[in-house]
Amino acid sequence: MLRLTIDNITVEVEEGTTILNAARKIGGKIVPPAMCYYSKLKGSGGKCRTCLVKIANTSEMDPRPIPKLVPSCSTLVQNGMVVENTISEQVLKERKAITEFLLINHPLDCPVCDQAGECDLQNLSYEHGLEETRYEEERREFAPIDIGEKIKLHMNRCILCYRCVYTAEQIINERVHGVLYRGDKAEISTFVENFVENDFSGNIIDVCPVGALTDRTFRFKSRVWFTNPMDAHRNCEKCSGKVALWMFGDDVYRVTGRKDKYNEVEEFICNECRFEKKKTSDWIIEGPRKINRTSVISQNHYEKLTKQSIINPTEGKTEQQE
Amino acid sequence: MGGKILLEKINIPGIETFDIYRKSGGYSAVEKALKTMTPAEVVEEVRKSGLRGRGGAGFPTGMKWGFIDRKSEKPHYLICNADESEPGTFKDRYLMEHLPHLLIEGMICSAFALEAKTAYIYIRGEFKYLIGILNKALSEAYANGFLGKNILGTSYCLDIYVHPGAGAYICGEETALIESLEGKRGNPRLKPPFPAFFGLYSCPTVVNNVETLAAVTSILNMGGDFYSKLGNGKSTGTKLISACGNINKPGVYEIEMGITVEDFIYSEKYCGGIKGGKNLKAVVPGGSSVPVLPAQLILKTASGQPRLMTYESLAEGGFETGTMLGSGGFIVYDEDQCMVRNTMSFARFYHHESCGQCSPCREGTGWQERLLYRIEHGLGRAKDIDLLADISKHIEGNTICPLGDAAAWPVSSAIRHFRNEFEFHIEHPEIVKNISHGNIDKYRK
């Protein structure tokens, strides 16, 4: 076991754990945001740079700071490491700058974006974004394209996290989409548009941290926060059949994987469950999903953080009462 | 001072052919290494020489070779990084064009030291004409028994392949180069793991610059101790400098490290002074990515000492008053050059070449270019200068690979040393518009 201190909180983790996963073990406010890392996707991470943290002490053997900030999602814990995340001015400053970089080419079309309300980029900019943009030049523009019958790609909103590329590589048998071009002209592409044929292609919608990949069967139907998420399952030959249903009254508006508090699905689901089974009778409903009270999805019941939860970041804020 | 080592034989007619190269003493280093030395002794010799990587970072080559995982059962690889695409640097091209066998000889010795059975020359796609020269030299070396199975009757076997890139600057970064060589998109990898453990096809790999590998030949010929006495301090040996810009004699020069910058610019032996007798304004001493320095700081350090052509002396003063030797692309500006325009063209290059993998570089390089374009064309605002400095500050150090730093340094240094020019552009848009060279309407978005 390795001992590691993040923001003055000490935790023991197994060898081979990354700083981000160690922070998630502690939980709460000190967890760095991650836009590209996805624990279920091998090789993901290191790209968005929002999870940069400061290493004040590399290890017990080598008690020196690392001059540059390191990505916590891909840096392994060493024994005696001391990490500074929210207590480091530098980290917060750079995170702010990176949030700004991610937003300069983002269209900020949240009012018409289906992802709004469950968007990682919204969460990130809510916490680390500037109030107004300093970017006054032209933004890059792409026309939205359909990748198959069920998935819409809005390249304008993409932050090039590569999660969908890794999904295509790892979940889907044949990878048919990747990244074309380079720099800020890079775009996600389906080399040939035959990849929707695959049974698990819909999972790229779930892994997308922004509204670049959205579900065409849910497109413009409702806002995320008007629908109720319910745990449900069915007997499925292809996947576990355990899903989250997004209900509006008695209607099933959308089916997704069950996402945890870091917005990662617990299990990947098949396209049949996701796109075809849109009737309540198709599912055995287990009950409402637990939603963070501070989330916009929690039925418009906005509640402020208690002061105590800010002072003591280790305790989950959902359990705090006014 | 000033003895040539790498370019010693460059004026012999036909030196690019095997026969002439061999007759003038070539391939003696291979004979020496393979017949009389062990791989560890070759590494030790290079370590003693103090040779530092000539690709730009200046990392000690012997140390890099020492990192390679020799316990691994996987094959080792040596890669020659011939993806020379830094604006202002053209030394490797010259070396490969005229002395292909010097590179091959250095590669055989280095591959032997690393116990590699396969080596690659990853060459920039634009250097099409060099691929033929290298392949011809390789086939001559094969025909004469210096490559292939059982070289010189020893048990050592080596194959060298030339692999052209597709014209991406980012593939000069060693991990992006490895990805590209594997047939993937040329995106840099996260480090660690370093290539010495986890490189090409997940095997221990060393990536060295063309000039570094060529220098190994000289080190083995003259001995590491002797080589380490050349040069100045920790900057040992000779360095190829590709000089360009407003000078009388642009070209590739081999210098012994330790001559003064003033000597290099003004002496007849090297650059021969500024063209048209004008005054020196600024110098970028190591290829477009290193910070630009104004005349008074490039000739003398902040403490008043004459600046020398060494890794240490050029870096003296940090980035506040110093710069870097980099890859040796020495760009000289006379008093009539516009630093804003120059910075814009550098920023455009890095914007074009960013791989787009990590956000600060992907978004920041484009932002830098667009801001600089506006300032250069008389559409700048007073706050833009500070904004530009702020952007480059946040790109620097936050990216996966050094391209982010390379994109930020020219911009931040130009603002640091030539802020008055930026201010002039903003305060006098009419003048700037009239002398501007581009048409804004044509500007691609």
Side-chain angles (χ1 to χ4, degrees):
Chain A
M1 294 296 267
L2 304 173
R3 201 169 35 78
L4 152 98
T5 308
I6 307 173
D7 285 1
N8 303 326
I9 303 163
T10 304
V11 66
E12 282 205 339
V13 292
E14 276 169 37
E15 209 154 315
T17 313
T18 58
I19 297 172
L20 181 70
N21 280 329
R24 285 183 177 185
K25 202 177 164 190
I26 300 171
K29 272 257 171 192
I30 61 139
V31 183
M35 303 297 290
C36 67
Y37 172 77
Y38 207 76
S39 58
K40 276 92 193 167
L41 297 172
K42 213 177 144 233
S44 63
K47 294 180 170 59
C48 70
R49 318 306 278 181
T50 52
C51 71
L52 291 178
V53 289
K54 187 178 165 71
I55 308 288
N57 200 340
T58 313
S59 71
E60 225 166 40
M61 310 283 282
D62 181 18
R64 280 180 306 177
I66 295 181
K68 282 185 183 180
L69 303 183
V70 302
S72 59
C73 64
S74 56
T75 308
L76 296 181
V77 171
Q78 296 181 46
N79 198 24
M81 196 180 241
V82 178
V83 178
E84 291 178 3
N85 179 25
T86 54
I87 57 170
S88 162
E89 278 291 313
Q90 190 195 356
V91 169
L92 294 179
K93 223 160 105 186
E94 297 300 339
R95 195 165 288 157
K96 208 169 185 167
I98 285 156
T99 308
E100 186 180 22
F101 283 137
L102 285 174
L103 288 171
I104 64 165
N105 273 316
H106 192 81
L108 297 171
D109 56 351
C110 307
V112 295
C113 175
D114 282 326
Q115 188 86 2
E118 52 175 22
C119 173
D120 288 351
L121 190 59
Q122 268 185 331
N123 293 345
L124 182 77
S125 48
Y126 187 74
E127 203 165 343
H128 299 283
L130 295 170
E131 270 172 35
E132 47 186 83
T133 181
R134 297 189 292 171
Y135 185 75
E136 295 170 25
E137 326 309 314
E138 296 263 351
R139 288 166 199 259
R140 60 177 188 161
E141 270 176 41
F142 299 92
I145 50 169
D146 297 336
I147 43 178
E149 273 175 41
K150 310 286 192 205
I151 304 169
K152 192 90 179 176
L153 169 64
H154 280 268
M155 195 54 217
N156 282 351
R157 298 173 186 159
C158 178
I159 57 162
L160 284 161
C161 67
Y162 283 64
R163 278 183 188 176
C164 57
V165 179
Y166 287 110
T167 314
E169 253 174 7
Q170 290 167 28
I171 308 293
I172 300 164
N173 300 328
E174 285 167 43
R175 167 176 158 180
V176 284
H177 86 151
V179 174
L180 291 183
Y181 314 117
R182 63 176 181 233
D184 57 8
K185 289 174 195 67
E187 57 178 295
I188 305 291
S189 148
T190 61
F191 293 150
V192 262
E193 291 195 356
N194 58 359
F195 126 95
V196 278
E197 304 299 324
N198 190 286
D199 279 336
F200 283 83
S201 61
N203 285 303
I204 59 171
I205 298 167
D206 278 353
V207 300
C208 184
V210 294
L213 292 163
T214 47
D215 186 343
R216 287 186 70 198
T217 63
F218 177 62
R219 195 167 160 75
F220 301 144
K221 267 197 168 171
S222 179
R223 304 309 315 231
V224 169
W225 55 89
F226 292 140
T227 55
N228 291 323
M230 308 287 257
D231 277 339
H233 67 269
R234 67 180 272 270
N235 276 334
C236 179
E237 287 168 2
K238 293 172 192 155
C239 66
S240 69
K242 290 178 184 167
V243 300
L245 298 184
W246 298 77
M247 316 265 299
F248 190 82
D250 287 337
D251 295 334
V252 178
Y253 267 33
R254 184 170 68 137
V255 185
T256 67
R258 294 180 185 179
K259 291 188 183 178
D260 62 16
K261 58 181 164 183
Y262 301 114
N263 240 343
E264 293 183 7
V265 290
E266 288 161 11
E267 275 169 296
F268 289 110
I269 60 166
C270 70
N271 280 5
E272 193 189 335
C273 290
R274 185 186 303 273
F275 298 125
E276 313 291 341
K277 304 292 174 192
K278 292 291 180 78
K279 276 189 241 128
T280 326
S281 57
D282 292 330
W283 298 97
I284 301 158
I285 295 174
E286 295 164 16
R289 275 189 72 72
K290 200 180 167 193
I291 292 284
N292 190 331
R293 289 189 314 118
T294 55
S295 164
V296 69
I297 303 169
S298 80
Q299 294 289 313
N300 290 332
H301 296 304
Y302 295 99
E303 280 168 81
K304 280 182 186 162
L305 290 175
T306 59
K307 269 192 179 156
Q308 202 190 347
S309 73
I310 295 165
I311 294 162
N312 190 354
T314 49
E315 285 174 38
K317 56 195 174 196
T318 49
E319 275 97 54
Q320 299 290 329
Q321 294 296 325
E322 287 263 9
Chain B
M1 264 202 153
K4 282 184 182 175
I5 296 175
L6 292 174
L7 304 183
E8 189 189 354
K9 297 166 194 159
I10 198 137
N11 290 327
I12 301 174
I15 192 70
E16 66 277 6
T17 62
F18 179 86
D19 293 336
I20 311 267
Y21 182 77
R22 182 83 175 116
K23 262 180 214 151
S24 51
Y27 285 102
S28 54
V30 175
E31 283 178 324
K32 189 177 171 189
L34 265 58
K35 288 186 174 166
T36 65
M37 295 167 86
T38 64
E41 283 169 359
V42 180
V43 176
E44 180 58 20
E45 208 64 32
V46 172
R47 200 190 56 74
K48 270 196 285 187
S49 74
L51 175 68
R52 294 173 66 169
R54 302 295 197 230
F59 192 81
T61 307
M63 201 192 273
K64 194 177 198 173
W65 289 8
F67 289 147
I68 196 154
D69 186 6
R70 286 185 194 270
K71 288 177 203 139
S72 166
E73 287 168 8
K74 294 175 184 168
H76 300 175
Y77 291 105
L78 170 72
I79 301 172
C80 169
N81 185 348
D83 193 74
E84 179 184 55
S85 8
E86 180 110 332
T89 310
F90 44 88
K91 63 190 176 63
D92 296 343
R93 182 181 81 178
Y94 185 71
L95 202 64
M96 288 187 286
E97 184 175 350
H98 297 287
L99 292 163
H101 283 288
L102 182 70
L103 171 64
I104 293 167
E105 186 178 2
M107 282 187 76
I108 299 170
C109 301
S110 310
F112 174 71
L114 298 163
E115 299 173 83
K117 300 262 186 296
T118 312
Y120 295 91
I121 301 174
Y122 185 93
I123 190 162
R124 182 184 178 194
E126 286 90 335
F127 287 169
K128 255 184 192 147
Y129 69 107
L130 289 180
I131 298 169
I133 295 174
L134 285 171
N135 275 330
K136 184 169 165 281
L138 283 173
S139 60
E140 285 174 338
Y142 271 108
N144 288 284
F146 281 95
L147 281 175
K149 290 220 153 52
N150 299 337
I151 298 169
L152 298 174
T154 63
S155 61
Y156 184 64
C157 313
L158 175 69
D159 288 305
I160 298 181
Y161 303 96
V162 180
H163 186 98
Y169 172 72
I170 188 63
C171 290
E173 200 276 341
E174 59 177 5
T175 53
L177 187 156
I178 289 170
E179 287 276 299
S180 170
L181 200 53
E182 287 179 1
K184 300 178 192 152
R185 182 183 161 84
N187 278 357
R189 293 178 183 169
L190 287 165
K191 290 189 259 188
F194 287 94
F197 290 88
F198 204 82
L200 184 64
Y201 308 120
S202 314
C203 300
T205 305
V206 164
V207 184
N208 279 135
N209 180 257
V210 172
E211 193 190 341
T212 316
L213 291 170
V216 171
T217 311
S218 338
I219 289 167
L220 290 182
N221 278 332
M222 61 175 65
D225 280 329
F226 186 83
Y227 190 88
S228 71
K229 292 195 181 77
L230 298 169
N232 182 308
K234 280 187 180 168
S235 304
T236 61
T238 62
K239 172 96 186 80
L240 296 183
I241 303 286
S242 50
C244 60
N246 309 111
I247 45 175
N248 282 322
K249 289 162 62 187
V252 177
Y253 296 98
E254 184 171 12
I255 58 154
E256 186 177 338
M257 286 208 260
I259 65 167
T260 62
V261 176
E262 191 168 1
D263 191 28
F264 184 71
I265 298 174
Y266 289 104
S267 90
E268 274 309 307
K269 202 172 154 195
Y270 302 114
C271 301
I274 311 293
K275 223 174 189 172
K278 289 182 188 169
N279 289 324
L280 175 67
K281 178 176 190 176
V283 171
V284 175
S288 63
S289 61
V290 308
V292 60
L293 279 190
Q296 67 276 17
L297 280 174
I298 190 75
L299 299 176
K300 290 219 163 41
T301 62
S303 55
Q305 299 295 313
R307 216 180 267 280
L308 311 176
M309 295 288 278
T310 63
Y311 289 101
E312 291 80 23
S313 178
L314 283 169
E316 199 180 319
F319 280 179
E320 279 307 308
T321 58
T323 175
M324 285 164 77
L325 180 57
S327 55
F330 199 86
I331 313 172
V332 181
Y333 301 90
D334 71 23
E335 54 193 314
D336 291 340
Q337 302 307 313
C338 170
M339 292 321 287
V340 179
R341 183 168 171 73
N342 175 62
T343 312
M344 182 192 77
S345 97
F346 284 170
R348 182 166 58 209
F349 174 78
Y350 290 106
H351 175 208
H352 187 255
E353 297 297 341
S354 166
C355 79
Q357 196 181 196
C358 55
S359 6
C361 173
R362 177 183 67 234
E363 309 293 353
T365 50
W367 197 356
Q368 280 191 161
E369 190 210 335
R370 290 177 202 117
L371 273 178
L372 277 162
Y373 190 87
R374 273 207 287 114
I375 297 173
E376 160 68 12
H377 291 86
L379 297 168
R381 276 160 285 196
K383 60 179 181 181
D384 287 345
I385 304 174
D386 285 329
L387 177 60
L388 193 58
D390 197 51
I391 297 165
S392 65
K393 200 173 88 193
H394 289 304
I395 300 175
E396 187 188 337
N398 288 342
T399 52
I400 295 176
C401 79
L403 193 140
D405 302 343
W409 290 340
V411 175
S412 56
S413 62
I415 296 175
R416 192 180 307 126
H417 299 299
F418 298 98
R419 198 182 174 99
N420 55 347
E421 281 188 40
F422 286 84
E423 282 164 357
F424 181 86
H425 274 72
I426 286 164
E427 283 158 18
H428 304 278
E430 284 315 311
I431 302 175
V432 175
K433 265 180 200 163
N434 289 338
I435 57 164
S436 74
H437 316 262
N439 182 348
I440 291 170
D441 301 332
K442 281 186 188 164
Y443 182 54
R444 71 192 154 73
K445 279 158 190 163

